[in-house]
Amino acid sequence: MDLVASKLHELRETYPTTALLHCNHAGNVGLLKKVENRFFSAYGGVTAAIGSLCVGAGSEGQRYDFGKSLSHEISDVVNSKTIIIWGRNPMDTGLHLVPFLKEAKRRGAYIIVIDPLETNTVKLADMHISPLPGTDGALALTMANILIERGLIDKEFIDKYVVGFDEFRSYVKDFTLEKGAKTSGVPIEDIETLVDKYGNSKPSSIIIGFGIQRYTNGGYTIRTIDALGAITGNIGIGGGGVNYNNSRMNDYIDHELLSGETLRKHHRVFSRPKMAEFIETAEDPKVEIIFTTRANPLTQFMDSNRMTRAFEKVGFKVTIDMFMTDTASLSDVVLPCRHFLEEDNIICPPSNHNYINYCNKVIEPNPWIPSELLIWNELAKRLKLENFPIENSEWWIEKALKPMTDLTGITIDDIKSGPIIVPGATPVAWYDKNFQTPSGKYELYSNLAKSQGFEPLPVYKSIDMEPNEEYPFYLLTPHTKDSLNSQHFVLVDEKQLPIVYIHSETGSKMDIRNGSVAEVFTDTGSLDCVVEYNDSIRRDILMIYQGWWIQRLGGVNRLISERYSDMGNNAAYYECICNIRYKA
């Protein structure tokens, strides 16, 4: 603690405090963890991240359409007659949704999974559609065109609540069945079935995953799918919705208390997806210290090789973590912290339910292992930060939730007694049709998007990278059911290689045997993997699960260059082409 404080003091005396880069993300999303932002603001203001590795493109797209992202309560899906699960895999990475999907199916719902990969969720489905990666927007616009042509739209809803329908209808006329099939790789008869089921079996629900917006066209793609809900009137009704993310708590949290934005003397930002590039090129000041919290950027951010080189150039690195991750291993100081089961916190609603939860301590921590709050308190004392209150977790949580207490009377004690539904939240998003856009309506044509440099309509833009002779495969790197991002790969044997999944015909043609070792490579890097044949994989796709640590012989992000999406500054992880060759 003394060493870290002395380094922070020395930097503040020598440079603008933006010479310190604070790297954080969502390793823990408890409300109390956001206190770290106040610490760095009180310190003087640092270089902080903008953009997203997770949901940013889609959230921005839905902001243009609806005003913000809101989802139906997950239990409402039982009221759907047709359910489209688009780029999401709840059987592996969202188990809480599965019982409701099964109940919906028992009640007669028709379930369609749209995903280039044949995931475990396909086992729940009546139909699986496998588009070419990055072409979901073309598929959605083709559906929209056919729905309009066949009169499978809700004219009353459009007239009352939608802006820009005429312009949208004119734009999608070009997306014929033939063009949509050719662009997306989805057979015409499958598109016909999609249109029939979604358009004729109302209410219809769409459940979107984060994968489809991890391309350079990600924000536009979400907007094209949102449009399907709008033109069919599947917005604001039970069993409907275009469900992606959930922003329910904004009015109930004291954001200034947690961020301390008004305390900053200096402030500089970097794009999260291009962190390595920023570290390498930053001037006035250069990056002198990297302070990492709730994140493992060497493994999880893009272009791990470049990130490693960038880290090594920085004079002092501090990481707070429970594990000796790749990032911690390259740091000068590692401050251990408590596990989430060793401290109290508040968890605000995530993407698909409306409950505020009290995350209570269930075991007593080792007294020598501090909470992150204790670390900030101790550093604040050493640095004499006047605007960082030295208080306990209960004080911070109560203060942070004061707006909710003042507006609704709900206190921390109420939340301790059991989960609380966010005041004002309803099982059906936008039930009152009171959209938070400038027009107050759903906006197919968004002047706000236009003013911010984007197309006003939900258009289709092809991705920048498609397979070629040198790199004939798409590389997809989804989440595994066995870990939350990189966290549980601490348990992997140090000599075990990651697995690359490949269609047996592809492997046979390239003389790469099942169980052999092969090198997957891109123009960014390479990775040795054990080959596993899987005939549910498209012949033009290689799949490697993300999260495997570099020090455990993994690190799939060595293969992925730094690039981000059209809107939301979102990491375009899935926009990657690769090749493979036999090694042993």
Side-chain angles (χ1 to χ4, degrees), residues 85 87-95 98 101-102 105 111-128 478-482 501 532 534 536-537 543 545:
I85 303 172
R88 192 159 169 170
N89 182 17
M91 282 286 282
D92 285 351
T93 57
L95 284 171
V98 172
L101 291 172
K102 289 181 175 178
K105 190 165 185 176
I111 300 178
I112 302 168
V113 170
I114 303 177
D115 199 311
L117 301 173
E118 189 176 323
T119 65
N120 279 327
T121 300
V122 173
K123 295 172 183 175
L124 283 177
D126 298 284
M127 182 181 190
H128 173 223
H479 295 254
T480 172
K481 63 184 174 66
D482 298 318
Y501 297 89
E532 185 169 314
N534 186 326
S536 68
I537 301 286
M543 187 189 84
Y545 285 117

Side-chain angles (χ1 to χ4, degrees), residues 204-347:
S204 297
S205 171
I206 300 178
I207 301 169
I208 307 179
F210 297 160
I212 62 170
Q213 47 96 64
R214 288 190 171 129
Y215 298 90
T216 51
N217 62 6
Y220 287 113
T221 296
I222 297 295
R223 291 201 68 199
T224 64
I225 297 171
D226 289 347
L228 296 174
I231 66 175
T232 58
N234 274 299
I235 304 297
I237 62 172
V242 182
N243 304 285
Y244 173 70
N245 205 6
N246 222 9
S247 303
R248 295 284 187 182
M249 285 291 289
N250 286 350
D251 296 334
Y252 298 128
I253 294 173
D254 188 338
H255 298 285
E256 172 57 29
L257 172 79
L258 296 173
S259 71
E261 287 185 10
T262 58
L263 304 176
R264 298 171 182 161
K265 295 177 182 175
H266 307 282
H267 185 56
R268 181 172 67 172
V269 297
F270 70 94
S271 164
R272 240 188 212 103
K274 291 208 165 190
M275 178 172 160
E277 178 185 282
F278 178 85
I279 295 170
E280 290 178 342
T281 59
E283 297 286 346
D284 301 322
K286 294 182 177 180
V287 176
E288 302 290 338
I289 293 179
I290 301 174
F291 205 126
T292 303
T293 61
R294 299 188 290 149
N296 182 14
L298 259 73
T299 309
Q300 294 302 102
F301 285 42
M302 310 179 88
D303 199 342
S304 296
N305 292 332
R306 187 176 188 181
M307 185 71 80
T308 300
R309 294 192 300 268
F311 254 68
E312 288 173 340
K313 290 179 180 178
V314 175
F316 189 67
K317 285 88 65 178
V318 186
T319 294
I320 299 177
D321 212 308
M322 299 174 291
F323 303 119
M324 190 61 74
T325 63
D326 293 326
T327 304
S329 293
L330 206 61
S331 298
D332 300 287
V333 173
V334 182
L335 301 175
C337 63
R338 293 176 187 172
H339 193 273
F340 79 98
L341 296 174
E342 297 175 322
E343 60 183 3
D344 296 334
N345 213 327
I346 293 288
I347 308 297

Side-chain angles (χ1 to χ4, degrees), residues 6 13 27 53 58 163 177 199 227 253 261 358 363 413 420 441-442 445 451 517 553 583:
S6 68
E13 293 295 303
L53 305 181
V163 170
L177 278 169
I253 294 173
E261 287 185 10
Y358 189 76
I363 54 171
D413 290 331
I420 298 280
K441 297 184 177 184
Y442 180 96
Y445 188 102
S451 71
V517 175
L553 305 180
K583 190 158 186 181

Side-chain angles (χ1 to χ4, degrees), residues 318-543:
V318 186
T319 294
I320 299 177
D321 212 308
M322 299 174 291
F323 303 119
M324 190 61 74
T325 63
D326 293 326
T327 304
S329 293
L330 206 61
S331 298
D332 300 287
V333 173
V334 182
L335 301 175
C337 63
R338 293 176 187 172
H339 193 273
F340 79 98
L341 296 174
E342 297 175 322
E343 60 183 3
D344 296 334
N345 213 327
I346 293 288
I347 308 297
C348 296
S351 60
N352 44 29
H353 70 67
N354 298 322
Y355 289 91
I356 313 168
N357 284 280
Y358 189 76
C359 184
N360 58 296
K361 178 170 64 176
V362 296
I363 54 171
E364 285 299 322
N366 183 317
W368 287 100
I369 300 178
S371 66
E372 282 133 303
L373 177 59
L374 178 60
I375 291 172
W376 303 126
N377 281 344
E378 290 299 317
L379 290 175
K381 289 176 188 174
R382 287 163 170 78
L383 292 165
K384 297 181 172 56
L385 302 186
E386 294 180 1
N387 292 307
F388 189 87
I390 310 301
E391 300 287 352
N392 62 24
S393 60
E394 190 96 352
W395 183 90
W396 281 102
I397 292 172
E398 283 187 358
K399 290 289 186 182
L401 292 177
K402 189 173 183 299
M404 183 171 71
T405 302
D406 291 345
L407 288 168
T408 69
I410 294 172
T411 67
I412 187 173
D413 290 331
D414 296 321
I415 303 171
K416 283 181 180 180
S417 66
I420 298 280
I421 293 179
V422 176
T426 58
V428 175
W430 309 114
Y431 75 98
D432 56 1
K433 316 299 187 295
N434 183 23
F435 300 103
Q436 296 186 23
T437 56
S439 67
K441 297 184 177 184
Y442 180 96
E443 296 193 356
L444 283 169
Y445 188 102
S446 169
N447 282 310
L448 178 61
K450 185 177 181 180
S451 71
Q452 295 180 347
F454 301 109
E455 298 286 346
L457 288 169
V459 302
Y460 174 66
K461 291 181 178 290
S462 60
I463 59 177
D464 295 335
M465 301 184 72
E466 296 180 358
N468 54 45
E469 187 174 342
E470 185 177 6
Y471 298 110
F473 302 103
Y474 295 98
L475 175 66
L476 294 185
T477 56
H479 295 254
T480 172
K481 63 184 174 66
D482 298 318
S483 180
L484 179 62
N485 291 306
S486 69
Q487 291 186 27
H488 299 88
F489 284 93
V490 67
L491 305 172
V492 169
D493 187 283
E494 293 182 12
K495 297 180 181 178
Q496 184 179 343
L497 288 172
I499 297 169
V500 56
Y501 297 89
I502 184 172
H503 196 282
S504 61
E505 287 184 15
T506 306
S508 297
K509 282 181 182 178
M510 302 183 73
D511 292 324
I512 300 173
R513 299 187 306 274
N514 190 40
S516 64
V517 175
E519 180 186 24
V520 181
F521 59 97
T522 67
D523 59 2
T524 302
S526 65
L527 183 68
D528 290 346
C529 300
V530 174
V531 174
E532 185 169 314
Y533 285 176
N534 186 326
D535 287 349
S536 68
I537 301 286
R538 288 178 61 111
R539 290 164 181 80
D540 54 0
I541 287 176
L542 301 184
M543 187 189 84

Side-chain angles (χ1 to χ4, degrees), residues 3-135:
L3 173 60
V4 173
S6 68
K7 290 290 186 179
L8 265 60
H9 176 73
E10 180 184 326
L11 180 143
R12 190 171 55 176
E13 293 295 303
T14 311
Y15 307 97
T17 50
T18 46
L20 187 153
L21 183 149
H22 178 212
C23 172
N24 67 344
H25 211 260
N28 185 307
V29 296
L31 189 64
L32 191 58
K33 303 300 180 184
K34 296 182 179 181
V35 168
E36 63 190 27
N37 298 318
R38 172 122 192 163
F39 172 86
F40 287 113
S41 293
Y43 171 69
V46 298
T47 296
I50 57 171
S52 172
L53 305 181
C54 193
V55 303
S59 295
E60 196 72 350
Q62 289 209 324
R63 183 172 72 91
Y64 295 135
D65 295 335
F66 296 97
K68 68 177 180 179
S69 284
L70 292 180
S71 288
H72 290 225
E73 186 69 42
I74 58 173
S75 57
D76 179 61
V77 77
V78 303
N79 299 312
S80 304
K81 292 181 179 177
T82 299
I83 302 166
I84 299 177
I85 303 172
W86 208 319
R88 192 159 169 170
N89 182 17
M91 282 286 282
D92 285 351
T93 57
L95 284 171
H96 44 290
L97 177 58
V98 172
F100 300 108
L101 291 172
K102 289 181 175 178
E103 174 61 18
K105 190 165 185 176
R106 191 188 67 78
R107 294 187 185 189
Y110 191 89
I111 300 178
I112 302 168
V113 170
I114 303 177
D115 199 311
L117 301 173
E118 189 176 323
T119 65
N120 279 327
T121 300
V122 173
K123 295 172 183 175
L124 283 177
D126 298 284
M127 182 181 190
H128 173 223
I129 290 174
S130 178
L132 291 167
T135 64

